[in-house]
Amino acid sequence: MTRRSITRTMRGRDATAVPAALLLIVSAFQAALALGAPWGSAAYGGAHRGTLPRKYRVTSAAASLAYAALALVTLDARSGGQARRRVLTGAAGLMGAGTVMNLASRSRVERAIWTPVAGALAATLLRAARRT
């Protein structure tokens, strides 16, 4: 391995480390909601203070798994280049839409916390997709 290829590999990892870390944070948050954490005011528009109803807890469990899976795809540089690029680009688009939705939320907590997280995910996932 040459110095240039090592540098290129490290830059690629740098491009994926931030979105993967953010995705794992969101996954952990969703898992906590699914397990009954009283953070309902920071999710789903803030309509449910405290612990979420069962229906939303099941949704959070599925979301937690989806975010964790996306983090793995983000980190797996060995996976197919074009397929991975499409997944990351699609996820970036969804996070862009999520940014707008969080910004429009009635929940102040959701606007304050999840708007910047979703925006950062949109930008960093797009960057990772372009580096794939």
Side-chain angles (χ1 to χ4, degrees), residues 14-131:
D14 291 346
T16 60
V18 171
L22 289 172
L23 287 164
L24 291 174
I25 289 168
V26 176
S27 176
F29 173 75
Q30 291 291 342
L33 287 173
L35 293 171
W39 301 334
S41 61
Y44 302 105
H48 305 282
R49 295 190 187 276
T51 301
L52 295 173
R54 185 177 190 285
K55 172 174 108 174
Y56 288 98
R57 290 173 63 188
V58 169
T59 302
S60 285
S64 176
L65 294 174
Y67 284 117
L70 185 56
L72 291 175
V73 169
T74 303
L75 290 171
D76 186 14
R78 297 171 302 161
S79 63
Q82 188 166 358
R84 181 170 175 256
R85 186 177 304 115
R86 287 181 179 167
V87 168
L88 295 178
T89 301
L94 290 173
M95 292 303 156
T99 302
V100 173
M101 290 170 56
N102 283 312
L103 190 58
S105 175
R106 292 182 181 172
S107 168
R108 270 189 274 175
V109 176
E110 202 169 24
R111 283 192 313 267
I113 296 171
W114 298 118
T115 299
V117 170
L121 272 168
T124 58
L125 283 168
L126 190 58
R127 179 177 178 229
R130 289 184 175 166
R131 297 225 174 177

